[in-house]
Amino acid sequence: MSRETLKTLFHPFESGTLEPVTGRVLFLGAEAGYRLPDGFSDDIAAAQPFRSFYNALEKAGIAVEPEAGEGPYDLTLILLTKHRGENENRVAEALQKTVPGGFIVIAGSKEDGVQSMRKRLGKLFADLEAMPKYHGVALWFTRPDDVKAAVEAMTHPTVEIDGRFTTVPGLFSHDRVDEGSRILAERLPTDFSGLAADFGAGWGYLSAMLAETAPSTVGIDLYEADWRALERAKVNLRSAAPQMRFFWQDLALEPVKDRYDLIIMNPPFHTGKAAEPSLGKTLVKAAAGALKPGGRLLLVANRGLPYEDVLAENCKKSGEEYRNARFKLLWGVK
């Protein structure tokens, strides 16, 4: 079932408030499941960095890339996420890639911060319009001739962490090292010398720590569903000693071809705002299935997440190595 805000996004055109655009359209944060209004252009360049959403768009026959092309575009559509910095960066990108006089149309729900975005844009663009529909709000304005000040106001730069890593808004733990990941990093094996994988690698912290802690590691393969995080990981690991390979992959649905002596992971367990332990379980099962016989899985998780059963079912041996008030460190051997 498509997100309600997809319908919100196209409602100004469906209602006749805005004329259908027949030229080139950029769709930032695109998701599958939308229906184009009558007379609307089918020359839509969708940009979606999350692998599962990307795959759904591709399956629907929509031209999609993980990042937007250079343009210019006659119209830009933006579907908001729950990350303010990411949303504002997309507005800045739209301003740079939309033709002067072209519309930029945005939609989101209360949970996506659409009202704060409305206030923010209202201070920058005098012609900002809004239309509530389908439990969300559509916003739109015309791209002015001079966008320099607005682009500067909306742009969130890369963030530096620990003096050695860089990230961007919208990534998991984009402004600090996640406490769970740090706990796992402090307990990585020092004598490991085989082939390792980092499942849900994010911007590369755990892989960097493994390369540093176990310098005899032959290689590390990073698997990550967020294309932007993987691109950051490539930057953060460019000077690492072991061979690194990077896989943009939805581990819940796309099988892993290689087998590993060690897999490390801090599995995601959210889809949107709600916790979904089934997602973490699916990824833990995929990790266990990607181990060589005798291979070891190390994972960190919130204390309340029920991963022990899936480890016991898919590993010969499993257990808990560490626990504090918030996290636990689990292991399994194939």
Side-chain angles (χ1 to χ4, degrees), residues 72-149:
Y73 298 93
D74 300 293
L75 165 72
T76 297
L77 305 170
I78 302 175
L79 199 60
L80 295 181
T81 71
K82 301 187 188 305
H83 303 281
R84 175 182 171 178
E86 179 182 30
N87 290 333
E88 294 188 357
N89 275 344
R90 283 180 173 167
V91 172
E93 183 176 9
L95 287 167
Q96 294 170 302
K97 295 181 177 180
T98 308
V99 297
F103 280 111
I104 296 172
V105 183
I106 302 165
S109 65
K110 179 180 178 181
E111 291 75 17
D112 299 323
V114 70
Q115 295 298 352
S116 62
M117 176 64 81
R118 181 177 180 177
K119 292 178 183 178
R120 186 98 163 93
L121 294 176
K123 296 177 181 178
L124 295 170
F125 306 102
D127 66 337
L128 180 72
E129 298 286 346
M131 177 180 286
K133 191 70 175 179
Y134 303 116
H135 308 291
V137 179
L139 310 171
W140 66 90
F141 60 94
T142 53
R143 192 270 200 195
D145 291 335
D146 184 1
V147 297
K148 183 178 179 181

Side-chain angles (χ1 to χ4, degrees), residues 44-58:
I44 296 179
Q48 176 51 255
F50 281 99
R51 183 69 177 179
S52 56
F53 292 155
Y54 176 97
N55 287 343
L57 287 160
E58 198 169 52

Side-chain angles (χ1 to χ4, degrees), residues 59 101 131 300:
K59 186 176 180 180
M131 177 180 286
V300 67

Side-chain angles (χ1 to χ4, degrees), residues 196-218:
D198 185 349
F199 274 27
W203 42 264
Y205 172 74
L206 283 175
S207 291
M209 293 300 99
L210 179 61
E212 187 176 285
T213 302
S216 296
T217 299
V218 173

Side-chain angles (χ1 to χ4, degrees), residues 231-298:
E231 291 299 297
R232 281 290 105 197
K234 292 176 183 178
V235 173
N236 291 329
L237 293 165
R238 59 189 166 196
S239 61
Q243 179 185 2
M244 300 282 179
R245 297 191 300 174
F246 302 86
F247 297 89
W248 183 40
Q249 191 162 326
D250 179 2
L251 290 166
L253 296 173
E254 297 176 300
V256 174
K257 296 179 180 178
D258 292 299
R259 295 295 176 263
Y260 298 96
D261 302 294
L262 172 68
I263 295 177
I264 55 177
M265 64 190 305
N266 181 356
F269 60 94
H270 282 87
T271 54
K273 203 168 186 179
E276 289 285 354
S278 60
L279 172 62
K281 286 184 175 182
T282 298
L283 299 184
V284 172
K285 183 177 180 179
L291 290 171
K292 296 177 181 178
R296 184 176 177 86
L297 169 62
L298 289 174

